[in-house]
Amino acid sequence: MSTEDLLSSVSDVSDETEFYTPLPTGYIRGRCKYVVITGTVMSGLGKGIFSSSLAKLMQDKGLKVSPVKLEGYLNVDSGTLNPFRHGEVFVLDDGMECDMDLGTYERMLDQDLTGMNFTTSGQIFTRVLEKERHGDYLGRDVQMIPHVTGEVKMRLRELAVASQADVVFIEIGGTVGDVENAYYIEAVRELAYEEGPGSVCFVALTYVLEPKTLGEQKSKAAQLGIKRLMENGVQPHIIACRAEHPVVDKVRQKIAQYANVPLERVFSMHDCESIYVVPEMLRESGLDFEVIRMLRLDERVNLQHERHAWLSWCDFVERDSNRKYHVRIGITGKYTSLRDSYASIIHALEHSGAALSTKIDIEWIDTSDLNDNNVTEKLAGLNGIIVPGGFGTRGAEGKIACIKYARENNLPYLGICFGFQMAVIEFARNVCGLKNANSTELQKDCQCPVVSILPEQEGIEGLGGNMRLGGKNVEINPETLAHRLFGGATSVRMRFRHRLEVDPQYIDTLTKNGLVFSGKAPGEPIMQILELPNHPYFIGTQAHPCMTSRPLHPQEMFVGLVAAARKINHPDQDLPDGFTAAETINKTIQSSIKAERSNVQPRSRAKNSVR
Ligand code: GLN
């Protein structure tokens, strides 16, 4: 049976053939191409950054791209993972709680993703077992191959259909050789076989060691890692060598010969000063062009689109590396030892800093032993402070002490989710005189629960995927700081992940005492943004604004914070305050995006040479 026949005679219960290839309705073979990224030697190579940068280069060429991360673990999503071990839990607009790499993709591609862009072994096996109980495999023993691998291919092709992508970027989590991702590698091998030549491009990301004692680069670990991939039936087309320094020709030659890959397709991907220059590095090395050639995508490339997109990106990179001003922002946090836990916040600060020509030094503040007596000393020299999202009691009182200090001393403040709730408690205790104010998360039977469980969350058992999750609209009150920050918008979309809220019975008391709730859920008494008039910059939100900040569209609340902090640290400069700055930046960015969009021509079908 030819591959063609195989794909047209698909059957879910097949005793006739050993092929098991369920196809989603509407799937057209050859329409969508695939780039598969695997890692060898070690984890933490920056597969997500590499893959999203390459995807960005394709997107810049006018191609529609859609990334997917295949996670090996059995958790259904990342919601129950400890950020201390795994990095932050990133929330997509549709409420999927996923790996932080999805944040990298959204930021790099400036594109909202969905649950279809994130797959775990838990999801794959759940689907297989549900089908088994439903009798879909009746008569067959359900096996890793072809049924589980079939389900993986199904997921990939479903994404191709739903996204209408020209290229789907498949990032396989972990490293080649891990037991938990072995079936993913088998699935993409089968995919390449079924889709045919020119449809799937395999990129092996590897690592070239440079032991200090030797002072030279060694390729053996990389060779063995790639060999492992080849033992699994996958011949890489492209090898990208991560390394501390540029990979020397001799090492590239060794790897090329050992892996059956032409030398010009073995690239050095050495460390660089910022992740934002990775696309440039890939572009300069010609890697994007190799992928285009390999996947025969030349005819879909739109050079004019590429020029515009590239100019905007270079403009951002330029601003990112040239910063005139300087601020120190404190971030309080339980997971202070692991910056990955706060990846989105760090990126949101970078985006705003670039927009405002401001270098940001982040100071991590451990609040476990912080109180009203030592807060002044601990926050000395800061120009702004963020209390980020969090769960549980550890360090909570210290965070409240920081907020009190910020409120009383005109220190710019941004409260995110937990930080919003702590600001409500602080205000209730110290301004409204509700001495026993607290959150029921911190004190179960507290007398004055200004923050309490959302009614919809009451009675929910278990911990997976059941918080108030995902993108929600926020209604913005006119004539507030939020209204100005969002450029006069009366509704904005933000990402949420919480179980508690400001208890509606206290809203009146809080507002009467001067707290302004400038954003709320439409049609529900769920407060979503708070602010303090008569303060240079004091704002909090029940949402996670960091998750929607993008390099070319910095999130407004962060812009406001950085601008306010900059004004404090550079009082001699005539700089706009937080909201005026955000307002101006927003307008400038929006108008340049509009201009860019109107310049984009429909995709050229003419044969273009890519370079
Ligand atoms: N623990 C709080 C809640 O569940 C805040 C959550 C968060 O910061 N993501 O509402």
Side-chain angles (χ1 to χ4, degrees):
M1 192 189 264
S2 71
T3 317
E4 206 72 53
D5 295 338
L6 141 74
L7 282 166
S8 51
S9 72
V10 169
S11 152
D12 277 13
V13 188
S14 176
D15 268 341
E16 313 299 316
T17 160
E18 283 308 305
F19 291 123
Y20 174 81
T21 305
L23 287 183
T25 353
Y27 188 74
I28 301 166
R29 193 157 69 101
R31 163 81 189 73
C32 178
K33 310 282 183 152
Y34 301 86
V35 174
V36 180
I37 290 111
T38 54
T40 60
V41 177
M42 63 181 193
S43 60
L45 291 178
K47 267 191 304 223
I49 292 168
F50 173 84
S51 171
S52 55
S53 301
L54 188 55
K56 182 192 161 30
L57 292 181
M58 299 295 144
Q59 185 194 47
D60 284 355
K61 296 179 198 313
L63 299 170
K64 202 159 191 298
V65 298
S66 194
V68 58
K69 171 121 196 223
L70 305 180
E71 282 288 8
Y73 50 70
L74 285 164
N75 309 57
V76 172
D77 55 39
S78 310
T80 53
L81 300 184
N82 179 352
F84 184 64
R85 288 176 66 105
H86 299 271
E88 83 178 347
V89 177
F90 194 81
V91 185
L92 301 178
D93 191 78
D94 66 358
M96 168 61 86
E97 295 170 285
C98 56
D99 180 83
M100 58 186 287
D101 272 345
L102 275 278
T104 309
Y105 285 112
E106 283 207 343
R107 285 187 288 269
M108 223 28 139
L109 300 174
D110 201 356
Q111 183 178 315
D112 281 351
L113 302 175
T114 73
M116 291 193 87
N117 301 99
F118 181 63
T119 299
T120 66
S121 293
Q123 292 172 26
I124 297 287
F125 289 127
T126 302
R127 246 166 101 161
V128 170
L129 294 177
E130 275 168 7
K131 279 191 175 175
E132 190 278 330
R133 290 291 79 185
H134 191 246
D136 291 359
Y137 310 108
L138 219 53
R140 286 285 307 247
D141 49 339
V142 184
Q143 294 181 304
M144 292 301 284
I145 305 168
H147 302 102
V148 177
T149 51
E151 201 56 57
V152 176
K153 289 180 284 178
M154 179 70 168
R155 287 287 301 241
L156 298 173
R157 287 174 170 135
E158 277 172 346
L159 176 62
V161 173
S163 64
Q164 289 294 301
D166 292 293
V167 192
V168 163
F169 280 79
I170 307 166
E171 178 192 341
I172 300 184
T175 35
V176 178
D178 296 346
V179 171
E180 59 265 34
N181 66 23
Y183 78 98
Y184 282 138
I185 294 174
E186 168 59 16
V188 290
R189 186 198 66 74
E190 292 171 18
L191 180 80
Y193 171 69
E194 292 168 5
E195 295 287 319
S199 297
V200 181
C201 172
F202 288 102
V203 184
L205 203 60
T206 188
Y207 194 74
V208 171
L209 300 167
E210 195 173 338
K212 289 253 174 322
T213 44
L214 299 179
E216 61 171 325
Q217 292 179 328
K218 301 301 262 179
S219 64
K220 184 64 89 191
Q223 291 175 33
L224 292 175
I226 294 163
K227 184 173 180 188
R228 198 76 200 252
L229 184 65
M230 290 157 81
E231 279 167 6
N232 286 306
V234 172
Q235 166 64 55
H237 299 107
I238 291 173
I239 296 175
C241 305
R242 289 281 297 109
E244 194 180 340
H245 301 110
V247 180
V248 297
D249 284 350
K250 264 192 167 165
V251 169
R252 281 179 52 240
Q253 285 160 11
K254 259 194 198 168
I255 294 174
Q257 198 192 37
Y258 198 82
N260 282 328
V261 173
L263 185 60
E264 62 275 17
R265 287 202 233 124
V266 178
F267 296 91
S268 171
M269 289 290 315
H270 43 279
D271 293 351
C272 46
E273 67 275 16
S274 139
I275 58 164
Y276 304 117
V277 301
V278 176
E280 198 173 324
M281 189 188 222
L282 299 184
R283 200 173 127 101
E284 271 171 14
S285 69
L287 206 150
D288 53 343
F289 179 48
E290 288 296 336
V291 175
I292 292 279
R293 256 218 325 239
M294 195 125 283
L295 296 178
R296 302 170 195 164
L297 284 166
D298 311 48
E299 293 191 359
R300 302 193 204 177
V301 166
N302 178 339
L303 291 176
Q304 197 179 0
H305 187 285
E306 184 177 34
R307 248 186 317 272
H308 284 294
W310 193 242
L311 284 179
S312 317
W313 186 256
C314 291
D315 176 54
F316 165 74
V317 173
E318 176 72 21
R319 276 186 285 120
D320 184 50
S321 56
N322 284 317
R323 304 189 185 208
K324 277 203 290 240
Y325 308 106
H326 166 246
V327 296
R328 284 177 71 205
I329 304 281
I331 304 181
T332 67
K334 191 156 88 169
Y335 307 122
T336 43
S337 55
L338 195 66
R339 279 150 202 248
D340 276 359
S341 330
Y342 298 115
S344 292
I345 295 183
I346 297 172
H347 288 301
L349 284 171
E350 279 169 5
H351 306 157
S352 295
L356 289 166
S357 225
T358 304
K359 179 175 175 313
I360 298 164
D361 283 334
I362 295 174
E363 305 280 328
W364 299 94
I365 306 158
D366 183 0
T367 52
S368 15
D369 59 351
L370 198 143
N371 53 48
D372 287 343
N373 299 326
N374 60 15
V375 65
T376 312
E377 168 205 339
K378 298 254 173 160
L379 303 190
L382 292 182
N383 312 119
I385 182 162
I386 296 176
V387 175
F391 295 83
T393 50
R394 219 189 110 203
E397 287 302 323
K399 290 174 192 173
I400 294 173
C402 289
I403 298 168
K404 179 168 186 275
Y405 179 88
R407 182 178 54 77
E408 291 178 343
N409 293 280
N410 285 336
L411 182 65
Y413 175 70
L414 172 60
I416 299 175
C417 201
F418 194 70
F420 163 90
Q421 296 172 355
M422 294 305 105
V424 171
I425 297 171
E426 190 281 318
F427 192 84
R429 284 185 192 171
N430 302 320
V431 180
C432 308
L434 304 170
K435 291 285 168 243
N436 297 317
N438 215 330
S439 155
T440 53
E441 179 182 4
L442 309 179
Q443 192 188 356
K444 231 179 164 115
D445 309 313
C446 84
Q447 286 175 359
C448 194
V450 287
V451 175
S452 66
I453 193 100
L454 280 154
E456 70 203 42
Q457 290 286 319
E458 264 171 310
I460 289 184
E461 284 180 19
L463 288 177
N466 54 19
M467 284 188 239
R468 183 169 181 269
L469 286 171
K472 317 247 176 235
N473 291 340
V474 180
E475 227 169 61
I476 307 291
N477 287 345
E479 285 167 41
T480 57
L481 165 62
H483 190 244
R484 290 189 67 186
L485 280 176
F486 290 113
T490 49
S491 172
V492 294
R493 196 154 176 88
M494 299 178 89
R495 303 255 171 107
F496 291 83
R497 182 172 187 253
H498 64 122
R499 287 185 208 284
L500 295 98
E501 63 166 342
V502 180
D503 194 312
Q505 63 170 324
Y506 291 98
I507 294 172
D508 229 29
T509 313
L510 293 162
T511 46
K512 277 198 184 115
N513 280 280
L515 191 65
V516 173
F517 286 113
S518 46
K520 62 181 275 301
E524 286 178 285
I526 308 177
M527 298 302 112
Q528 298 185 325
I529 302 177
L530 64 75
E531 58 191 68
L532 279 181
N534 308 322
H535 188 287
Y537 193 81
F538 191 103
I539 197 161
T541 172
Q542 186 63 82
H544 293 265
C546 44
M547 291 189 186
T548 41
S549 186
R550 310 267 165 89
L552 302 184
H553 188 185
Q555 207 280 337
E556 294 80 352
M557 290 182 167
F558 280 84
V559 174
L561 177 78
V562 175
R566 188 181 70 168
K567 208 167 166 58
I568 289 181
N569 207 28
H570 298 275
D572 44 326
Q573 308 275 331
D574 190 19
L575 296 168
D577 56 22
F579 37 80
T580 318
E583 216 170 30
T584 323
I585 284 166
N586 224 336
K587 279 190 190 137
T588 323
I589 290 170
Q590 288 311 323
S591 58
S592 67
I593 289 173
K594 266 190 213 130
E596 195 187 301
R597 287 209 181 116
S598 60
N599 275 327
V600 172
Q601 303 294 315
R603 179 185 296 162
S604 150
R605 287 277 161 191
K607 202 163 176 62
N608 289 317
S609 72
V610 181
R611 273 166 196 240

